[in-house]
Amino acid sequence: MSISISPLNPTVIGDTAAVRVAQMAPVGRLSLRARGDLAALNGALGLTLPTKIGTRATAGDLSAACLGPDEWVLTMPEGDVAGVEAALAGAYDALPHSVTNISAREVTFEITGPMAETLMTIGCPRDMASMGEGAVRRTLFDTATVVLWRDGADAFRMDVWNSFAGFVAQTLETGCRELAADMARAG
Amino acid sequence: MLLIHCPYCEETLPEAEFAYAGQAHVIRPENPSGETDEQWEEFLFIRENPKGPHYERWRHIHGCGRFFNALRDTVSDRFYTTYKAGEPRPDLSDFLGDDA
Amino acid sequence: MSTYRVTGKGRVDTSRAVNFTFDGKTYTGAAGDTVASALLANGVHLMGRSFKYHRPRGAIAAGSEEPNALIGTRRGAGRFEPNTRATVQEIWPGLETTSQNKFPSLKWDVGAVNDAAYMLFSAGFYYKTFMWPKSFWDKVYEPFIRAAAGLGVSPTENDPDTYASRYLHCDILIVGAGPAGLAAARTAAGKGLSVVVVDENAEMGGSILSEPQATINGTPAWDWLKSELADLKAAGVKLMTRTTAIGYYHENMIGMVEKLTDHLTDLPKDTPRERMWRVRAKQVVLAQGALEKPLVFHGNDRPGVMLAGSAQTYLNRYGVLVGKRPAVITSHDSAWFSAFDMQDAGAKVQAIVDTRHNVRDDLLAMARERGITVKTGHTATATAGRLRVSKLRVNPVNSGTVGAGEWIGCDCVLMSGGWTPSLHLFSHTKGKLTWDEDMTTFLPDETPEDCVIAGAGRGLWGIEAVLNDGATRATEVLEALSAATDAPTFTVGEDRTGSGITMRELPTDRSPGKAKAFVDYQNDVTAKDLRLAVREGMRSIEHVKRYTTNGMATDQGKMSNINGLNIASDALGKRQPEVGLTTFRPPYTPTTFGAFAGYHRGDHFEVTRKTQIDPWAEANGAVFEPVGQWRRAWYFPKGGETMDQAVSRECAATRNSVGIFDASTLGKIEVVGPDAVEFMNRMYTNPWTKLAPGRCRYGLLLGDDGFIRDDGVIGRLSQDRFHVTTTTGGAARVLNMMEDYLQTEWPDLNVWLTSTTEQWSTIALNGPNAAKLLAPFVEGVELTEATFPHMSCVECTVAGFPARLFRVSFTGEIGFEVNVPAPHGRALWEKLWEAGQQYGITAYGTETMHVLRAEKGYIIVGQDTDGTVTPYDCDMGWAIGKAKPDFVGKRGLARPDLMDHSNRKHLVGLLTDDNSKLEEGAQIVFDPNQPLPMTMVGHVTSSYDTGTMGRPIALALVKGGLEKMGDTVYIPMPDRTISAKITGTVFLDPENSRLKIKEGDA
């Protein structure tokens, strides 16, 4: 089974005592690629791009997460995308780079609750303990490549490409119920 | 399932995040059209198949996306080291001592 | 109270009676019983029949090593499982169980005739019996083997249970919660490390559960156990019962299966039946204990003959006497204690028979105290009794001579051939074994994994030794984790230490050739079979194993491997370490397919990628086909249409007016950067430098070997930005290939690649009315031949959505591909659908797409090419930028074998002489009258009935085909040979006049 996911109409995927999974409203997302002296881009963005993979920086509504040695995902309110694109375009001559709008490519699930971390372990081979609060990684969940954000001890976000979202949502929903049953049995 | 150290992420992670990408240090010639048939055959088709240490490529495909190189023993499946693409081939003796 | 239940013994709760059925009859057990312990409490030993000879069998063990007592368990529809070990399955009210390998009944079985035909079924009988005559194979042998093969009966209904999986990372995993494992856990607990203890049993404690007489550090063993488990739990140690470590994989990954519901009366909601744990531990302690070996003698498989240690477990853990008049035959001290426990619990031990001449004085004294007859220096030569043992025949052995036999009446026989460490998981690590001559067994030696083995698993005996070893081993592990600590010490009172000798098959005064002395119970392999295999030339233990099937049963040789090795090495005249042990393979115990599948079953088996327009297609009756991971609309049948009828209608509508097609699955890659054009020049065959922004071009991607890998239309959006499309199935592969060249061959290029496949929904409109339909929606460009000619692209607005509009055609008609941000795809589709009604707009699927493109001779990579086809083979030399110094595949195309054009297979069209439709994949010959085997010169790659052409058309790869226009080739089919003429590949509108937007069309 897979759950029908509509990017424009966020829904709650699962909500149990153990964990809650909810699809989030669309956000603006840009894939930024560059190398060399990032000063021009930092200036255009008004933040310092983090250079250690798995870390992020935030300035106001704009956040930048480093996913690879020359790769960042920028997130912002949808209405800000054009402005950020324009600001980066102004820095192109100083530091040629690539900006690609991927706002419509994926949906985001918000995963919260006392067993949020355990829910991640039904699909993530990597050790969740290696991702502290504030960490972000591209990784594997079940058979889908996802970008996983750890926002707190019990809070994650997961970006999933549209066509994988229904399948991933179904796995998460099954897990929500399974973990709640675990909690009930454990008393 | 193997554990692989990604030299870009500087993390040791489960094999499931990676994809194998064949023998390492097979360099595509600067000007392929200048290669003889024999040279081109060597580049295109001839690969080592060692029992023991093997220089090979992996890609952190479900992570940072980078191709990198590794020295792995094909018998024990143990990785001696991994290193970034473009870095020189590490010396076997650094890992095997006198056995190299 | 059941007849054989002993008051005051065992850990089961006799105050809670549990009724279950076995072969339709209701039995009463106690809460905490297994099926085997409950049946034994009712005096039932006969629990199954063997696989090959259908011999009656009872439980010989009390744990997961049980080879005989395999039953089917049922819990309503769909919940039937064969081959469950009765010694492991816990009972619950209403459990239904059945015996196996019996017809018509367990007590009277027709298949037991195999037992009488024993000589026919000896070692290697499969290889010998079913050899000749050849004609017997299909009609006689195969049906016979299929009917006889298989253990138990497969369930026929879908399994309604759910299964789960989880990853777990920990510092220390301890496998086995016997004394060694618990002592290891105690040593590691409270050090700030994550420690996990796993045990396959319902209760932790291992051998402590069977030895309540012992005291540990002055406390009765069971009291110690209770408080120890509570302490460990309080210290944060994760204790997992009913969880079997089934395999040990690379880098300390251990697969474990947890059974969550098989022991429960009511299935809790949302709880999976089983959960597969994939555990990654920094250090592993293997504390799996040892397994008792049977003695090998004639009749050692009769129900009632049982391992002595298991009888002790049934008594002390389950409160069940397995018999009231036991006879004991042993070569190890441990069985003496089993006899004493049974005697003390009210049984009358008929005799303790030991194969050794000299036995410890204290044991002899304890036997004397209890008035038990002792016979040392004896062998066992037979048992008797129809469905249950009634007597044991023993003979004195002096200086190798077997004396006269004597029958001892009994209702059960307890045997012990000594103990062998459980080496399975250690062997999975590629761990080396070392032969211990004193113990006549293999012991664990070195392993490449970060793992230690503790306790009886490395040959130690007695609770005190094992506890202290568990603690000591744990300190080694803790040191490796930089948490060095001192080992706690344990003192055990009433400890039962002991030793023994190892026997091969027991000596007998009867003909060894007629002895049915079983080594592998489940596969019915006898000592005689093993010796026969060696006589018939098997020299390697691996060959002996396969020829006899010894150790190949579902118990994975737990009972049989060491006994088999001892006998085979004797027959070979070699020492055991020279013969070696066969490989233990995962899983340790039989594992359900469900546990391996986890969440991935039914329609959640694998991901099915769907486009944003997929729900519309589903609502409009589309039939789907899988393309890679995607499901795509294949065709849209209307009112009972067949596929051919639907496709014919869809084709005609597109050629005559306008068709709409969901092309969202096409791979899309954004190539951006100052070196974007240089990168494109190097990757694709075509020249890109002169392609102006706003124009697009068909691109061909080769491998460096010169063969076609992928194709697609590529638009240049600006000087530094290309929108590349790939085939649906090739998207990930092409991006990977591009990244490979970019990262490792051309890292100097300033260009970056981003997958935008899912950023866009792509809608294709094709047909003479396509421009007319689309134009009113488009802002920013006029859709005329002058302003937006064929192969143009533009960023604009379509129906109010930001869009990338391409003028391209995969049909030969006026065509557009509209890309809008993915979530808006459905809305745009519906607007176009509504507006298109005036033109009779028709939705078409992938099949119509295939037909329309074939009529124009457009190739589909992977259908018309197969990884061995060059652009020249497809007559597509026009797509190659010959002036470029290099591109991927340029040098490859210059290989001498690819330059030999006339001898290559070329893509051509085929038109059959009789207007029949060819089969895709059919082989082609030049001369249909040549002798067999014919020389095949190619095959049909695409074949369709087409309404447009009024006849079937086909594409084919034919040797030298481009130089054979008009020639006739032949396609031999099973019923006839079809002749066809070679043509060009473009069947329709070769001058491309249909691509043009005429004035007034937009």
Side-chain angles (χ1 to χ4, degrees), chain C residues 328-383:
Chain C
V328 178
I329 172 75
T330 182
S331 61
H332 194 277
D333 297 340
S334 62
W336 290 67
F337 292 106
S338 305
F340 301 154
D341 280 359
M342 287 192 72
Q343 182 85 7
D344 297 347
K348 290 272 168 283
V349 175
Q350 302 298 298
I352 298 176
V353 183
D354 203 305
T355 62
R356 299 170 294 178
H357 285 274
N358 298 312
V359 177
R360 267 161 49 185
D361 288 342
D362 60 325
L363 295 177
L364 295 171
M366 282 189 270
R368 244 191 331 270
E369 276 167 31
R370 290 170 172 82
I372 301 173
T373 308
V374 169
K375 293 176 185 294
T376 56
H378 273 64
T379 181
T381 51
T383 61

Side-chain angles (χ1 to χ4, degrees), chain C residues 904-968:
Chain C
R904 302 279 310 159
K905 286 177 184 168
H906 304 148
L907 190 71
V908 294
L910 287 185
L911 293 173
T912 52
D913 291 332
D914 64 356
N915 272 356
S916 63
K917 185 185 155 202
L918 293 169
E919 297 249 356
E920 288 178 359
Q923 293 293 322
I924 297 165
V925 300
F926 288 143
D927 173 11
N929 299 315
Q930 61 186 301
L932 297 174
M934 293 192 192
T935 302
M936 294 174 285
V937 295
H939 69 276
V940 178
T941 61
S942 293
S943 175
Y944 308 97
D945 258 321
T946 97
T948 315
M949 309 304 302
R951 56 158 302 142
I953 58 170
L955 299 175
L957 285 165
V958 179
K959 190 172 181 184
L962 290 170
E963 292 156 14
K964 291 183 163 45
M965 288 297 141
D967 286 7
T968 298

